[in-house]
Amino acid sequence: SQTIHQWPATLVQPVGSPLSLECTVEGTSNPNLYWYRQAAGRGLQLLFYSVGIGQISSEVPQNLSASRPQDRQFILSSKKLLLSDSGFYLCAWRESLPTDTQYFGPGTRLTVL
Amino acid sequence: AQSVAQPEDQVNVAEGNPLTVKCTYSVSGNPYLFWYVQYPNRGLQFLLKYITGDNLVKGSYGFEAEFNKSQTSFHLKKPSALVSDSALYFCAVREGVLTGGGNKLTFGTGTQLKVEL
């Protein structure tokens, strides 16, 4: 069966520090991968998606970047964090067949101070 | 462009009563519709989806949803609510035709369900 991992689970970082969040998927190959941010309210904002290794599409211009160095690895990064980068970051993968459904990881809670 | 509306920020229900969480959508072609549930500080869990076929879709934990094309709605329902159903519920939509655009979902703003004794 497929599983999706995110780490770290929680992170507290000072303003101006770098960021690296990792997401890995097991039990599938060539998945579509997605990074979302959920700010303190509740709405989900799609940040990046990837349809293959090295292929990244950005949905919202911002202080973050994403990379996909391996088929089942998706990394969210920043060179210098802002206070507004605080939030709950969710990674998801899409199973094309048979369900055509996105499944989410457990999330990373990022607090920028 | 595709969009989803969840008109209620919060729904309060007594345990044992039926519950409905509303969702309406807008999409160019045939819709793929999804419901997810989120417990505090957790990722979203998939509940059910409509792609084609029977308008009444049954999902996890006794939830079901009814697709209504004329009203462009996909309301989530459960015949008898449990306190443990209290959580944040998201409706999502995408156009059914596969494109090169990553098959992106558009999510509603979420509805907080509170089930009380």
Side-chain angles (χ1 to χ4, degrees):
Chain A
S1 64
Q2 301 88 357
T3 56
I4 179 169
H5 304 280
Q6 287 186 244
W7 64 86
T10 60
L11 191 60
V12 179
Q13 292 285 96
V15 169
S17 64
L19 174 73
S20 180
L21 303 181
E22 189 165 342
C23 171
T24 58
V25 183
E26 296 177 354
T28 186
S29 59
N30 198 31
N32 285 8
L33 296 171
Y34 307 84
W35 276 113
Y36 292 86
R37 177 169 57 203
Q38 188 176 27
R42 56 183 65 168
L44 285 165
Q45 180 184 38
L46 178 63
L47 302 175
F48 302 94
Y49 69 90
S50 172
V51 299
I53 296 174
Q55 300 179 62
I56 308 296
S57 295
S58 174
E59 289 295 294
V60 182
Q62 58 205 317
N63 187 41
L64 302 170
S65 61
S67 61
R68 186 170 176 175
Q70 301 180 43
D71 182 43
R72 288 168 287 178
Q73 185 184 33
F74 204 22
I75 297 172
L76 184 69
S77 303
S78 174
K79 292 182 179 179
K80 289 185 178 181
L81 283 168
L82 306 172
L83 287 173
S84 58
D85 292 324
S86 293
F88 193 48
Y89 288 82
L90 292 159
C91 180
W93 71 281
R94 174 180 163 265
E95 179 182 67
S96 55
L97 293 171
T99 68
D100 198 359
T101 298
Q102 282 190 29
Y103 298 96
F104 285 78
T108 295
R109 173 74 60 189
L110 172 66
T111 303
V112 183
L113 300 174
Chain B
Q2 54 197 36
S3 65
V4 174
Q6 292 183 244
E8 302 154 316
D9 280 347
Q10 181 162 320
V11 170
N12 296 321
V13 177
E15 189 175 52
N17 284 1
L19 71 86
T20 299
V21 182
K22 295 180 181 177
C23 171
T24 59
Y25 68 90
S26 174
V27 70
S28 299
N30 292 323
Y32 282 19
L33 293 155
F34 302 82
W35 276 102
Y36 290 84
V37 61
Q38 184 182 31
Y39 296 96
N41 294 309
R42 305 289 290 276
L44 275 67
Q45 295 179 31
F46 169 71
L47 275 180
L48 52 80
K49 70 176 185 287
Y50 171 84
I51 293 179
T52 187
D54 194 349
N55 288 346
L56 184 63
V57 179
K58 294 188 182 297
S60 306
Y61 313 119
F63 284 94
E64 58 190 27
E66 186 168 11
F67 171 64
N68 187 317
K69 187 172 183 178
S70 63
Q71 297 185 8
T72 62
S73 66
F74 190 56
H75 301 331
L76 181 70
K77 300 181 180 183
K78 187 174 182 181
S80 179
L82 299 172
V83 172
S84 58
D85 292 330
S86 299
L88 186 58
Y89 290 80
F90 288 97
C91 182
V93 68
R94 74 166 176 86
E95 189 174 345
V97 175
L98 293 180
T99 68
N103 301 296
K104 295 175 288 185
L105 287 177
T106 297
F107 285 85
T109 51
T111 298
Q112 185 69 48
L113 174 65
K114 187 174 183 181
V115 182
E116 299 170 309
L117 290 170

